[in-house]
Amino acid sequence: MESSGPSRGSCSAGLVLLYSSLLLNALLLAHHFVPSSRHLGDVDDGGRHQLSWSLQAAVEAEAAAATDCSRHGRVYLDGVPGEDGRPACECNRCFVGPDCSRRTPNCTADAESADQMFMEPYWMRHAADSAVVVSGWHRMSYFATDNGEYQSVELERHIRMLHKAVGNAVVDDKHVVFGTGSMKLINALVHALSSPDASVATTPASVVATAPYYPSYRTQTQMFNGRDYKWDGTTANASTRASSSNTTATTRFVEFVTSPNNPDSLLRNPVLSSKSNVIADHVYYWPHFTPIPSPADEDVMLFSASKLSGHAGSRFGWALIRDAAVAARVKTYLEESSMGDSRDTQLRVLRVLKVVLANLHNGGDDMFAWANGVMAARWRRLRAVLARGGVLSVKKIPPQYCTYYKRVREPAPAFAWVKCEREEDTDCYEALLKAGIVTQSGVDSEDSARYARVSLVKTQDDFDVLLERLNDLVTTADEKQHSAPSSTSASS
């Protein structure tokens, strides 16, 4: 069934009017504000700066943002041009056509990716205060400061301000180190924490995590297995092996502790305790996903912009590190491998954090309250579907007091860690794939194949298709159950 939408002709006519209006507004602005000399920094008689070089960029950005894609897609400035030479609509999954108005029948639901596109409507509402205009000469140097640093001092200050205001992490005694998303920091931290001390044996450190865990801990560590560290599986298996070989005292562990955990969203603590150097992955420890009972205060903590505000494409993360020597080793790793993060990215993230900070506890404009409302609504709809049929189940995580909201709140995590309950569904990933839903298998996290991770953070279109497929699965199972002959009928 196709969604109704405007005709191609009416869309084209509308676009002509739109671009004409934008061009006229730009010319009026230019006539009013821009001096004939167009020198950077020109001022009028009142001492006010006047617009010059930013006008064309603003017109192009506004025109792209205003293009109609039937609310099922977007136009981006770097998109592939359409027939008219302008960037064309890029449609959400399950929608096609020049204006994304046609629904693809029997479309497969993508519930695998953790791409937090559910945040897009919030940032569309805050387009003006979150916008960044970058000139061609912006931060052309390798360095972000005049003393040769790669990190923005102002961005670090705002990261510290945000953690203090939200109350999810202690920052006063920590060093802040930037990375290209949390992914780049994962191996940088493993490298820094497993660098051998001359006073101990130089056998490779064992890198471990408690199942179910985020699979990239394993895949990335295995990619760089070497002299200083190696992937050693789950905490349970590694501890058993170390005890049986009587090498516990000399074994060096680097333990990933994800809290809230990915994939099952539970709050976690270290398992190996004093035997390990802990990397506390708190990328989901924000009040739109989980209650914040107290600020985290581990020696090494990991965060990312993709999970905070949804800006995964900017590729920005940061670590809070107590020990100066460890922080220095992490910085050296990052500087040698990439010479720091993009200055353009740092500017954009700074602008995003300013918006988040300016709207804390500000009703519907509070990003955390807005996002929590969306996620809570999605969880209510999901539970209503799963409550039927006994096909799938998900554990209920108990509510907790949240210091940010100052009341007891239920978690609204990014993922549903679902279990296939029917006897025949021994591989939950395959059972859901057969039903038209792509997920992440529990086997990837070294857990049972009976489990699958279902992502709830993609676009509203993605979530709606997911619920459709789940509803079809549950309805079909219910119909089969009621149409099957009873044991009494079969024996008579």
Side-chain angles (χ1 to χ4, degrees):
M1 179 178 179
E2 296 183 359
S3 301
S4 60
S7 67
R8 181 66 175 167
S10 64
C11 284
S12 299
L15 288 175
V16 170
L17 290 173
L18 170 66
Y19 286 122
S20 299
S21 174
L22 288 169
L23 180 59
L24 178 60
N25 287 334
L27 291 174
L28 290 172
L29 284 169
H31 177 75
H32 184 74
F33 287 109
V34 181
S36 58
S37 63
R38 288 183 175 272
H39 288 164
L40 177 68
D42 279 353
V43 295
D44 61 19
D45 293 339
R48 295 167 298 189
H49 284 273
Q50 303 183 65
L51 299 176
S52 57
W53 54 266
S54 63
L55 277 176
Q56 182 179 345
V59 170
E60 291 177 354
E62 290 276 3
T67 304
D68 179 26
C69 296
S70 305
R71 294 185 295 179
H72 300 300
R74 297 285 176 263
V75 169
Y76 301 101
L77 288 175
D78 60 351
V80 177
E83 294 177 0
D84 58 2
R86 299 185 180 93
C89 287
E90 297 181 21
C91 301
N92 293 343
R93 187 181 179 90
C94 301
F95 289 87
V96 295
D99 60 353
C100 305
S101 60
R102 299 202 306 272
R103 170 76 180 271
T104 305
N106 303 316
C107 178
T108 299
D110 179 6
E112 179 182 18
S113 167
D115 205 356
Q116 290 184 193
M117 292 302 293
F118 85 99
M119 300 286 291
E120 187 184 57
Y122 178 86
W123 293 109
M124 292 181 71
R125 262 175 51 186
H126 290 272
D129 48 355
S130 63
V132 177
V133 178
V134 180
S135 64
W137 47 264
H138 170 76
R139 294 289 185 196
M140 292 176 64
S141 169
Y142 285 116
F143 307 108
T145 66
D146 56 8
N147 63 344
E149 291 289 332
Y150 296 114
Q151 297 190 174
S152 162
V153 174
E154 189 67 358
L155 177 53
E156 178 180 333
R157 187 173 74 88
H158 278 75
I159 287 173
R160 292 180 182 277
M161 289 168 57
L162 182 63
H163 282 300
K164 289 181 179 180
V166 173
N168 69 331
V170 176
V171 293
D172 285 339
D173 61 343
K174 308 293 193 307
H175 302 270
V176 181
V177 181
F178 299 170
T180 307
S182 61
M183 292 297 291
K184 190 68 171 283
L185 284 162
I186 286 174
N187 203 64
L189 291 167
V190 169
H191 163 79
L193 292 172
S194 61
S195 297
D197 187 326
S199 64
V200 300
T202 57
T203 55
S206 294
V207 183
V208 296
T210 299
Y213 57 77
Y214 179 45
S216 288
Y217 298 151
R218 178 185 72 252
T219 57
Q220 193 174 131
T221 303
Q222 287 177 333
M223 187 180 296
F224 296 102
N225 273 353
R227 178 189 61 193
D228 293 341
Y229 55 85
K230 65 176 181 178
W231 176 255
D232 209 8
T234 66
T235 52
N237 291 340
S239 183
T240 299
R241 285 195 301 271
S243 298
S244 62
S245 60
N246 199 30
T247 59
T248 307
T250 58
T251 301
R252 295 177 298 130
F253 290 104
V254 176
E255 181 182 354
F256 281 102
V257 179
T258 314
S259 187
N261 190 41
N262 175 359
D264 63 13
S265 304
L266 299 176
L267 296 180
R268 287 272 190 86
N269 292 305
V271 171
L272 301 180
S273 189
S274 60
K275 302 175 185 177
S276 64
N277 287 313
V278 172
I279 299 173
D281 186 338
H282 288 310
V283 294
Y284 289 102
Y285 196 54
W286 295 101
H288 45 342
F289 291 127
T290 184
I292 307 295
S294 61
D297 192 23
E298 292 92 345
D299 290 343
V300 176
M301 297 183 283
L302 189 60
F303 296 90
S304 77
S306 62
K307 308 307 183 288
L308 164 65
S309 61
H311 289 89
S314 293
R315 306 310 307 131
F316 183 80
W318 65 96
L320 303 179
I321 304 171
R322 195 187 314 272
D323 186 89
V326 174
R329 287 198 292 271
V330 174
K331 288 186 71 173
T332 298
Y333 177 101
L334 296 169
E335 290 170 2
E336 289 294 327
S337 61
S338 60
M339 299 188 75
D341 288 309
S342 162
R343 300 333 148 233
D344 296 348
T345 287
Q346 293 187 48
L347 177 63
R348 188 184 190 195
V349 174
L350 172 61
R351 191 67 199 167
V352 165
L353 294 194
K354 286 182 176 180
V355 175
V356 175
L357 280 162
N359 289 288
L360 294 179
H361 304 293
N362 186 26
D365 284 325
D366 181 330
M367 185 197 73
F368 297 114
W370 181 91
N372 181 261
V374 173
M375 292 303 299
R378 289 187 175 190
W379 270 97
R380 285 193 295 271
R381 293 179 63 191
L382 176 69
R383 289 189 185 280
V385 173
L386 298 188
R388 299 166 39 221
V391 179
L392 301 167
S393 67
V394 60
K395 289 183 179 179
K396 184 175 177 60
I397 305 173
Q400 279 188 293
Y401 182 82
C402 179
T403 55
Y404 181 77
Y405 296 112
K406 292 183 170 44
R407 58 191 175 92
V408 174
R409 294 291 298 263
E410 287 196 357
F415 309 112
W417 186 234
V418 301
K419 181 181 180 182
C420 284
E421 295 288 356
R422 294 185 299 184
E423 184 177 350
E424 64 268 28
D425 292 336
T426 56
D427 189 326
C428 198
Y429 171 85
E430 291 295 337
L432 290 171
L433 186 61
K434 186 178 180 181
I437 304 169
V438 181
T439 62
Q440 186 179 97
S441 172
V443 175
D444 293 340
S445 300
E446 289 201 53
D447 207 324
S448 168
R450 281 278 182 184
Y451 288 90
R453 190 192 78 171
V454 177
S455 174
L456 306 180
V457 293
K458 298 199 71 183
T459 67
Q460 188 62 43
D461 285 338
D462 285 309
F463 183 73
D464 289 341
V465 174
L466 168 63
L467 284 196
E468 286 178 19
R469 297 292 163 266
L470 287 173
N471 188 67
D472 291 343
L473 173 62
V474 170
T475 300
T476 301
D478 189 53
E479 290 173 350
K480 285 183 178 179
Q481 182 180 0
H482 284 85
S483 62
S486 65
S487 58
T488 302
S489 300
S491 61
S492 59

